């Protein structure tokens, strides 16, 4: 059974940093793409970043480009380093595994439960 478990969320002041982690288990993810999405209160879930587990280019939403970095290690963990955080980054952040590294929710088959990130002004 596939499991994605996020951690690392919390409360931070504007301009601060957080690193989210996503531990993946239950299958081999070497052929998968891993993505981060977020959902703010009253808004739709939106794409943040994605990367293929096998390597290659990473993809980012324009709103986070230059501030966030997605990466993965060799032990089934994906990270999202978030710097220069803004109040508008406040949301529940979700890790997802899918077939291609694209900003489409329906391309991802597996989802974590989410971790809350709150950025105070």
């Amino acid at each position: 059974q596939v499991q994605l478990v996020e951690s690392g969320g919390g409360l931070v002041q504007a301009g601060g940093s957080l690193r989210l982690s996503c531990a993946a288990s239950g299958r081999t993810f070497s052929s998968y793409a891993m993505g981060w999405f977020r959902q703010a209160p009253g808004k739709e879930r939106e794409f943040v970043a994605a990367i293929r587990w096998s390597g290659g280019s990473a993809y980012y939403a324009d709103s986070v480009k230059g501030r966030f970095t997605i990466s993965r290690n060799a032990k089934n963990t994906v990270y999202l380093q978030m710097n220069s955080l803004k109040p508008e980054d406040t949301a529940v952040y979700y890790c997802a595994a899918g077939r291609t590294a694209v900003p489409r929710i329906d391309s991802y088959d597996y989802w974590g439960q989410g971790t809350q990130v709150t950025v105070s002004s």
Side-chain angles (χ1 to χ4, degrees), residues 2-4 17-19 21 23 27 32-33 40 42 44-45 55 58 73 76 78 86-87 95 110 113-114 119:
V2 174
Q3 269 199 315
L4 302 177
S17 298
L18 282 175
R19 188 176 81 156
S21 300
R27 68 170 302 143
Y32 272 70
E44 293 187 350
R45 193 170 297 189
N73 67 9
N76 280 9
V78 178
K86 305 174 182 180
C95 174
Y110 305 103
Q113 293 296 315
V119 184

Side-chain angles (χ1 to χ4, degrees), residues 11-17 67 83-90 118-121:
L11 173 64
V12 64
Q13 288 189 329
S17 298
R67 300 187 298 122
N83 299 327
S84 301
L85 283 161
K86 305 174 182 180
E88 51 264 43
D89 294 318
T90 295
T118 303
V119 184
S120 63
S121 58

Side-chain angles (χ1 to χ4, degrees), residues 27-100:
R27 68 170 302 143
T28 300
F29 288 90
S30 58
S31 63
Y32 272 70
M34 301 299 295
W36 286 96
F37 289 76
R38 67 186 181 186
Q39 188 166 16
K43 295 188 176 182
E44 293 187 350
R45 193 170 297 189
E46 64 175 9
F47 170 77
V48 175
I51 190 170
R52 287 207 62 83
W53 203 284
S54 58
S57 299
Y59 305 92
Y60 298 93
D62 288 342
S63 58
V64 306
K65 208 170 287 183
R67 300 187 298 122
F68 291 11
T69 303
I70 187 171
S71 63
R72 81 278 183 269
N73 67 9
K75 295 186 177 181
N76 280 9
T77 302
V78 178
Y79 303 98
L80 185 68
Q81 177 67 43
M82 305 186 296
N83 299 327
S84 301
L85 283 161
K86 305 174 182 180
E88 51 264 43
D89 294 318
T90 295
V92 177
Y93 283 71
Y94 297 91
C95 174
R99 291 151 279 168
T100 56

